């Protein structure tokens, strides 16, 4: 299967991007998966219960073992989650544990020293039971538990120095369907080799046992390999392939709804040229989303008009008034706001984004009368590293694939203040009113009531445009004649157990 190079070594708690998560999803089994109604159903968990949405009891299935044959225990989850949360470890998924009681003790924030190394809200009850106490009720907590950050870690993952072992990062030991056959040398190896773990207690594929991820720096090259049958699965076809993919692949091509969003990201905290909201609104109004969706993506995208995707409850059609194409008003607003005369537009070249980024650049040049320079980064890792380091000053291509199916997942991880330091808030956006409204949504005991607060938080984003939504994705993927029954789950990952030989 095609995959872009993971940003980091294969550590679950330090992987918040899609490429590494795709690989790790084959190696680990989540506590929950999601059914066709986007509801969480137990996977590695036997049950997940609560009476007040604040104290949660998670019972594990006793049949799961690590790939070295030892049983998976509750302490393996507590170890992983405490490690992820501790500020000193600088894990990118740290903010996912911000609702656990004691998080502020282990992660007090920039410039402050942790007063504890473990969260008091995590408790091992027995070998197969852990108890999680949150600081406040959060009805969506079970829904979160299918995400990469909540995978367990074996004791061997952490070395005697208290840090994650490089050996583990190259060849992680999981408790999922596939075990890694040999260490993966990131930056050098072009493949990641795996085979079915024979003691995996869940469903296994029939007729095949070996899985190989092929690392590409060009989505177009992967498309060529798929056509030549040198690649079996490509789950993110480039824009240049979409118009002919159906003709080339026939019923091996798929165009399906997707809960992801494509944005133009704004380095709000790191470049004062974009500080004035009118500058951001003008840029948004200068983008011809419909033409980009219809022409560049051959109709397989739709113009974004909210920060919440239509696939998830909470979306409101037409909510983003600044997403309406209005070049005349855009130029007037941009000039009155004193927007920058030159803009750089960064994107990763390994993801098939060149065409739509150049279309946006053309829109901005023509409609705002400014100089716009697209800047390709060879790999997704390159632009993520630059954003993590808070050193990239240009606008940037960004996308969001959901971690779990909830409106809140379009808010907290991307725009929450707590996600600036180690999370996915690459623009550095911070707004206390927004944070407070999300917190109120979290603490609502009724889902409908919670959604009202999330939409109020969404209203702030629509007003302030910390990012500029451009399109809602669809999944465009295909496979060779050598395999069949290829399906994507809600997180855009392959259901490997269902794949059959062609």
């Amino acid at each position: 299967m095609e995959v872009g190079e993971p940003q980091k070594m294969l550590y679950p708690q330090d992987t918040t991007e899609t490429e590494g998560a795709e690989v790790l999803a084959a190696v680990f089994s989540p506590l929950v998966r999601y059914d066709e109604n986007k509801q969480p159903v137990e996977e590695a968990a036997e049950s997940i219960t609560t009476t007040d949405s604040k104290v949660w009891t998670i019972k594990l299935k006793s049949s799961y073992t690590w790939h070295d044959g030892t049983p998976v225990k509750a302490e393996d989850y507590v170890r992983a989650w405490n490690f992820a949360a501790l500020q000193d470890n600088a894990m990118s998924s740290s903010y996912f544990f911000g609702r656990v009681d004691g998080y502020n003790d282990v992660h007090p924030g920039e410039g402050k020293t942790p007063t504890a190394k473990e969260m008091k809200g995590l408790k091992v009850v027995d070998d197969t039971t852990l108890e999680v106490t949150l600081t406040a009720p959060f009805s969506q907590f079970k829904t979160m538990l299918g995400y990469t950050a909540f995978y367990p870690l074996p004791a061997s993952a952490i070395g005697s120095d208290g840090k994650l072992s490089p050996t583990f990062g190259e060849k992680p030991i999981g408790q999922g369907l596939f075990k890694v056959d040999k260490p993966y040398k990131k930056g050098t190896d072009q493949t990641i080799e795996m085979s079915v773990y024979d003691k995996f207690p869940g469903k296994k594929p029939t007729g095949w046992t070996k899985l190989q991820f092929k690392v590409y720096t060009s989505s177009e090259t992967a498309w060529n390999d798929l056509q030549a049958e040198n690649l079996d699965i490509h789950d993110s076809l480039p824009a240049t392939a979409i118009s002919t993919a159906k003709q080339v692949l026939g019923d091996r091509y798929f165009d399906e709804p997707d809960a992801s969003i494509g944005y133009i990201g704004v380095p709000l905290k790191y470049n004062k040229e974009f500080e004035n909201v009118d500058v951001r609104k003008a840029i948004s109004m200068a983008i011809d989303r419909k033409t980009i969706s219809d022409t560049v993506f051959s109709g397989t995208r739709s113009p974004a008009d909210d920060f919440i995707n239509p696939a998830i409850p909470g979306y409101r059609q037409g909510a983003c008034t600044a997403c309406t194409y209005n070049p005349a008003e855009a130029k007037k607003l941009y000039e009155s706001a004193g927007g920058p005369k030159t803009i750089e537009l960064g994107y990763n070249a390994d993801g098939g984004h060149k065409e739509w980024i150049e279309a946006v650049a053309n829109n901005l040049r023509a409609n705002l009368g400014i100089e716009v320079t697209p800047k390709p980064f060879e790999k997704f890792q390159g632009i993520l590293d630059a954003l993590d380091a808070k050193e990239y000053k240009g606008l940037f291509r960004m996308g969001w694939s959901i971690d779990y199916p909830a409106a809140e997942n379009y808010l907290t991880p991307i725009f929450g203040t707590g996600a600036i330091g180690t999370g996915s808030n690459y623009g550095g956006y911070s707004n206390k009113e927004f944070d407070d409204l999300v917190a109120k949504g979290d603490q609502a005991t009724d889902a409908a009531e919670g959604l009202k607060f999330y939409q109020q938080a969404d209203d702030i984003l629509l007003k302030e445009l910390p990012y500029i939504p451009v399109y809602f994705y669809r999944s465009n993927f295909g496979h060779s004649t050598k395999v069949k029954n290829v399906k994507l789950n809600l997180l855009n990952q392959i259901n490997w157990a269902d794949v059959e030989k062609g």
Side-chain angles (χ1 to χ4, degrees):
M1 177 187 170
E2 165 272 345
V3 68
E5 184 176 275
Q7 182 191 11
K8 300 179 180 179
M9 296 177 76
L10 300 174
Y11 300 127
Q13 281 69 36
D14 206 20
T15 296
T16 53
E17 46 80 30
T18 53
E19 309 307 313
E22 176 89 52
V23 175
L24 288 165
V27 182
F28 288 83
S29 188
L31 286 168
V32 300
R33 293 192 185 278
Y34 305 101
D35 66 15
E36 58 187 15
N37 297 315
K38 305 180 181 67
Q39 296 302 307
V41 292
E42 283 77 0
E43 179 79 7
E46 182 69 42
S47 64
I48 300 172
T49 56
T50 184
T51 57
D52 58 4
S53 294
K54 183 176 180 180
V55 180
W56 295 76
T57 299
I58 302 172
K59 288 187 174 295
L60 307 175
K61 290 176 180 172
S62 58
S63 52
Y64 278 79
T65 57
W66 293 108
H67 294 159
D68 62 7
T70 58
V72 177
K73 297 181 179 180
E75 65 187 76
D76 297 323
Y77 286 86
V78 171
R79 175 189 305 111
W81 298 1
N82 274 324
F83 189 91
L86 184 60
Q87 182 167 296
D88 295 346
N89 294 328
M91 293 288 100
S92 57
S93 70
S94 179
Y95 62 94
F96 281 95
F97 301 92
R99 295 181 179 87
V100 178
D101 191 17
Y103 179 78
N104 290 338
D105 298 330
V106 302
H107 202 121
E110 187 175 355
K112 299 178 182 177
T113 303
T115 56
K117 291 194 172 183
E118 297 179 349
M119 295 180 284
K120 57 190 174 188
L122 295 184
K123 177 183 174 183
V124 173
V125 177
D126 58 40
D127 280 353
T128 57
T129 310
L130 63 151
E131 183 180 274
V132 184
T133 300
L134 309 180
T135 52
F138 178 45
S139 61
Q140 301 296 302
F141 182 66
K142 179 178 177 180
T143 305
M144 296 178 72
L145 297 178
Y147 186 54
T148 316
F150 296 95
Y151 293 161
L153 282 179
S156 60
I158 301 173
S160 56
D161 59 356
K163 301 182 183 303
L164 285 171
S165 158
T167 302
F168 180 85
E170 294 177 346
K171 188 181 178 184
I173 297 173
Q175 35 66 287
L177 176 55
F178 295 95
K179 60 183 177 65
V180 181
D181 289 337
K182 65 177 185 179
Y184 164 61
K185 305 294 184 183
K186 198 176 94 64
T188 302
D189 289 351
Q190 298 305 306
T191 62
I192 305 172
E193 310 287 343
M194 302 184 185
S195 57
V196 169
Y197 176 50
D198 58 5
K199 293 181 181 176
F200 180 68
K203 182 181 178 181
K204 301 186 188 71
T206 55
W208 62 278
T209 59
K210 295 289 185 180
L211 173 63
Q212 180 188 70
F213 287 98
K214 298 181 73 171
V215 179
Y216 285 88
T217 57
S218 164
S219 185
E220 285 78 8
T221 302
W223 167 235
N224 291 336
D225 275 358
L226 182 68
Q227 294 177 83
E229 301 262 310
N230 293 323
L231 176 72
D232 285 330
I233 300 174
H234 190 344
D235 71 343
S236 55
L237 296 180
T240 50
I242 291 173
S243 63
T244 59
K246 179 65 178 175
Q247 180 182 355
V248 172
L249 298 178
D251 60 4
R252 292 181 285 113
Y253 168 69
F254 299 86
D255 173 25
E256 298 179 350
D258 186 312
S260 304
I261 301 179
Y263 311 96
I264 294 297
V266 183
L268 265 182
K269 187 177 178 181
Y270 315 109
N271 189 339
K272 291 188 179 301
E273 290 185 319
F274 300 108
E275 197 172 57
N276 187 333
V277 66
D278 283 348
V279 171
R280 306 193 294 276
K281 284 182 179 176
I283 292 171
S284 179
M285 293 161 62
I287 298 173
D288 185 356
R289 293 167 175 76
K290 186 174 188 309
T291 298
I292 290 173
S293 298
D294 290 348
T295 304
V296 178
F297 290 111
S298 303
T300 59
R301 302 288 187 272
S302 58
D305 56 359
D306 195 359
F307 278 87
I308 298 171
N309 184 294
I312 301 298
Y315 161 76
R316 293 167 294 172
Q317 186 176 17
C320 179
T321 55
C323 293
T324 301
Y325 185 50
N326 189 338
E329 183 63 25
K331 183 162 186 167
K332 182 178 171 185
L333 195 62
Y334 196 81
E335 290 178 347
S336 66
K341 300 298 183 187
T342 62
I343 288 178
E344 187 172 274
L345 193 49
Y347 68 99
N348 54 303
D350 61 348
H353 299 293
K354 178 182 176 183
E355 289 76 15
W356 80 268
I357 286 296
E358 289 189 339
V360 169
N362 287 334
N363 282 162
L364 301 187
R365 289 187 197 106
N367 296 328
L368 301 181
I370 60 174
E371 182 179 336
V372 183
T373 306
K375 175 181 171 55
F377 288 75
E378 181 184 8
K379 300 176 182 178
F380 193 24
Q381 175 190 348
I383 192 167
L384 289 178
D385 286 350
L387 293 169
D388 279 341
K390 322 300 183 192
E391 64 185 23
Y392 188 63
K393 309 286 191 217
L395 298 178
F396 52 89
R397 194 294 299 184
M398 187 48 61
W400 185 252
S401 295
I402 56 172
D403 307 318
Y404 46 88
E408 177 273 332
N409 192 233
Y410 294 99
L411 308 175
T412 315
I414 323 170
F415 304 109
T417 301
I420 294 176
T422 57
S424 297
N425 187 346
Y426 297 117
Y429 176 71
S430 180
N431 182 311
K432 186 176 185 306
E433 185 183 2
F434 170 85
D435 291 337
D436 289 345
L437 283 167
V438 173
K440 286 181 179 177
D442 291 352
Q443 293 164 27
T445 53
D446 176 78
E449 185 69 15
L451 199 55
K452 289 181 183 176
F453 288 115
Y454 294 142
Q455 288 178 330
Q456 289 175 30
D458 182 37
D459 286 340
I460 293 176
L461 300 182
L462 294 164
K463 180 181 176 183
E464 299 198 337
L465 291 182
Y467 276 12
I468 297 168
V470 178
Y471 59 80
F472 296 130
Y473 274 81
R474 289 182 68 82
S475 292
N476 301 105
F477 64 101
H479 62 80
S480 74
T481 62
K482 299 176 183 177
V483 296
K484 61 182 181 180
N485 206 27
V486 177
K487 300 173 184 174
L488 292 181
N489 63 25
L490 191 64
L491 304 186
N492 291 334
Q493 296 162 349
I494 303 293
N495 287 327
W496 290 113
D498 294 334
V499 175
E500 302 173 16
K501 281 191 171 182

